[in-house]
């Protein structure tokens, strides 16, 4: 690649949704017989934003110089390294259309996964913020009125009534602390969900606290299946496909399993037996893999496994939502209840003093 091309990296990194939409559009154009340079020029003419137009213009200029499609993507600095390597392999093997179609599916699933994670975080965060706002209004606007009245009438309270009033004050202070902790927790969730790295950390935390590793295992299986399918579509052999899978999986336990599976493959074990002995898949999934590889449909069967794991991940995320929402509602009830007690207990003490 020329020095001129290397110095044109000025567009920010594309997210998973943008990568899969771009891959899908170029894949459809290649299927229709449109060359990459013409396809990029067509997309540039219909670009909806200056950022998109700038990226496509960069690619068009580089393609017009006779550079390969991979080089045009790399020069923008906007595409993930994994997507660049797959496109390069697709061009080298003459399977660019198939690779782009596989990239579309891979990054579409990755986008849906991250979007589900973001929604699972943002909704509880906003609910926690609402709880904090309600608590703040009650504490700063409502309770001071009652406190002023009680202070004016509390000089003659009995010891029992005074102790109840102190309990009410303590309850109010506890509610304030509780609301402050919720607000801090909400801010942490909100800012963490704004980046893929933060989403991964929150996923690991939710996985540990709520599902004992089930979510992480499902996500790792999905990415493993998608990586193998994508690599096979690119024309890679299974050993190279395993290397790609290791780079896409962020769970250390799953990486160890994949490395063990790769060792078994190098020893001559079949792929179905390797993934079973490594503990990556089991049961009916092994039968599906075995039948698919024997029938020469290895790419299709790994796509199907990726889809099944994706659906399983969505089910687990839905369970997370169904567990978090009642917990936060209970928090709201507890906070409001503590604030009501902080008002009712002193009132009870005052009424007892008046009755005495």
């Amino acid at each position: 690649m020329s020095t001129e091309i290397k110095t044109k990296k000025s567009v920010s990194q594309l997210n998973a949704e943008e990568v899969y939409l771009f891959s899908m559009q170029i894949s459809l154009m290649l299927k229709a017989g449109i060359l990459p340079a013409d396809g990029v020029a067509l997309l540039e003419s219909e670009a909806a934003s200056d950022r998109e137009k700038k990226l496509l213009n960069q690619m068009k200029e580089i393609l017009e110089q006779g550079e390969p499609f991979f080089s045009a993507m790399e020069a923008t600095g906007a595409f993930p390294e994994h997507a660049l390597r797959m496109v390069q392999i697709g061009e080298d093997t003459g399977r660019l259309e198939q690779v782009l179609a596989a990239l579309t599916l891979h990054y579409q699933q990755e986008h849906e996964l991250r979007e589900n994670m973001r929604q699972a975080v943002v909704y509880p965060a906003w609910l926690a913020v609402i709880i904090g706002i309600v608590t703040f209004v009650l504490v700063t606007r409502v309770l001071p009125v009652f406190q002023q009245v009680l202070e004016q009438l509390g000089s003659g309270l009995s010891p029992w009534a005074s102790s109840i009033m102190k309990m009410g004050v303590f309850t109010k202070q506890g509610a304030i602390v509780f609301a402050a902790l919720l607000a801090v927790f909400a801010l942490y969730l909100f800012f963490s969900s704004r980046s893929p790295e933060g989403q991964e950390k929150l996923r690991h935390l939710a996985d540990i606290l709520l599902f004992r590793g089930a979510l992480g295992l499902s996500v790792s299986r999905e990415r493993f299946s998608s990586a193998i399918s994508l690599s096979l579509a690119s024309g890679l052999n299974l050993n190279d496909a395993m290397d790609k899978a290791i780079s896409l999986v962020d769970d250390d336990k799953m990486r160890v399993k994949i490395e063990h599976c790769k060792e078994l493959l190098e020893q001559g074990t079949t792929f179905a037996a390797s993934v079973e002995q490594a503990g990556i898949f089991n049961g009916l999934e092994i039968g599906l893999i075995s039948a698919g590889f024997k029938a020469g449909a290895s790419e299709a069967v790994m796509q199907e496994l990726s889809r099944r794991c994706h659906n399983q991940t969505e089910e687990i995320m839905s369970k997370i939502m169904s567990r978090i929402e009642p917990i936060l509602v209970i928090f709201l009830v507890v906070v409001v209840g503590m604030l009501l007690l902080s008002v009712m207990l002193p009132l009870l003490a005052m009424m007892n003093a008046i009755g005495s």
Side-chain angles (χ1 to χ4, degrees):
M1 189 183 299
S2 64
T3 304
E4 181 184 358
I5 294 176
K6 288 183 179 179
T7 58
K8 289 188 176 182
K9 298 182 179 181
S10 58
V11 181
S12 58
Q13 189 84 14
L14 298 178
N15 58 37
E17 181 183 17
E18 292 169 327
V19 174
Y20 101 72
L21 288 175
F22 175 82
S23 301
M24 179 179 65
Q25 290 172 324
I26 299 297
S27 174
L28 292 174
M29 290 183 181
L30 291 177
K31 189 175 182 180
I34 301 175
L35 296 176
D38 297 332
V40 170
L42 181 60
L43 291 178
E44 182 196 8
S45 64
E46 300 177 353
S49 65
D50 293 338
R51 173 174 175 266
E52 183 180 353
K53 187 178 289 292
K54 182 178 180 180
L55 183 147
L56 293 170
N57 181 261
Q58 282 184 252
M59 293 187 64
K60 183 185 71 172
E61 291 178 354
I62 295 170
L63 289 171
E64 288 174 349
Q65 297 174 16
E67 297 288 341
F69 188 64
F70 154 76
S71 299
M73 291 176 60
E74 184 180 41
T76 64
F79 292 90
E81 186 68 20
H82 166 257
L84 294 175
R85 300 282 82 80
M86 290 295 100
V87 170
Q88 184 180 28
I89 294 170
E91 284 191 298
D92 293 341
T93 58
R95 306 182 68 180
L96 181 58
E97 180 186 333
Q98 294 91 326
V99 169
L100 287 172
L103 277 175
T104 299
L105 179 61
H106 173 80
Y107 279 99
Q108 182 181 14
Q109 291 181 341
E110 191 70 15
H111 164 66
E112 291 175 355
L113 175 62
R114 292 180 179 179
E115 186 64 18
N116 289 337
M117 291 180 185
R118 189 187 66 82
Q119 291 178 359
V121 168
V122 171
Y123 175 72
W126 279 114
L127 186 56
V129 168
I130 293 173
I131 294 173
I133 293 174
V134 171
T135 304
F136 178 78
V137 171
L138 288 175
V139 170
T140 59
R141 299 297 181 184
V142 179
L143 291 185
V145 177
F146 286 94
Q147 185 176 1
Q148 184 178 3
V149 173
L150 293 173
E151 287 178 352
Q152 293 175 353
L153 299 176
S155 57
L157 294 180
S158 65
W160 180 81
S162 298
S163 62
I164 296 181
M165 178 174 284
K166 291 179 181 178
M167 186 182 300
V169 174
F170 174 78
T171 304
K172 184 182 76 172
Q173 294 174 345
I176 295 173
V177 173
F178 198 33
L181 292 175
L182 276 179
V184 172
F185 177 66
L187 289 174
Y188 170 75
L189 291 179
F190 178 75
F191 286 108
S192 296
S193 66
R194 294 172 65 89
S195 66
E197 295 78 10
Q199 291 173 4
E200 289 295 333
K201 291 180 180 179
L202 292 175
R203 177 179 65 78
H204 286 305
L205 179 61
D207 193 24
I208 294 172
L209 296 178
L210 300 175
F211 292 100
R212 299 181 181 180
L215 177 60
L217 179 61
S218 178
V219 171
S220 296
R221 284 177 172 176
E222 176 186 343
R223 288 177 174 169
F224 171 78
S225 303
S226 179
I228 297 297
S229 174
L230 178 58
S231 299
L232 293 176
S234 305
L236 294 177
N237 58 41
L238 274 176
N239 286 331
D240 292 335
M242 300 299 287
D243 292 331
K244 294 294 181 182
I246 292 174
S247 66
L248 286 177
V249 174
D250 60 353
D251 184 76
D252 293 335
K253 293 181 179 179
M254 179 57 73
R255 284 180 176 176
V256 172
K257 291 180 179 180
I258 297 174
E259 290 173 353
H260 180 45
C261 180
K262 183 181 177 182
E263 292 175 358
L264 293 172
L265 283 173
E266 292 173 348
Q267 295 171 8
T269 309
T270 63
F271 182 75
S274 297
V275 293
E276 182 178 20
Q277 294 179 32
I280 299 176
F281 290 108
N282 50 47
L284 295 176
E285 296 159 340
I286 297 299
L288 183 62
I289 293 173
S290 179
F293 274 72
K294 289 179 181 178
S298 55
E299 177 187 340
V301 75
M302 295 310 296
Q303 278 188 1
E304 174 61 20
L305 279 177
S306 177
R307 185 190 64 80
R308 289 165 60 93
C309 293
H310 181 73
N311 293 338
Q312 182 182 6
T313 301
E314 288 186 337
E315 292 177 2
I316 296 176
M317 296 297 294
S318 297
K319 290 181 181 179
I320 290 179
M321 290 291 293
S322 65
R323 294 185 183 185
I324 291 179
E325 184 176 359
I327 292 175
L328 288 177
V329 171
I330 292 173
F331 281 172
L332 176 59
V333 172
V334 171
V335 170
V336 174
M338 293 172 69
L339 291 172
L340 289 176
L341 285 175
S342 68
V343 174
M344 297 305 297
L345 288 177
L347 282 177
L348 178 62
M350 183 183 67
M351 294 174 63
N352 178 73
I354 294 174
S356 300

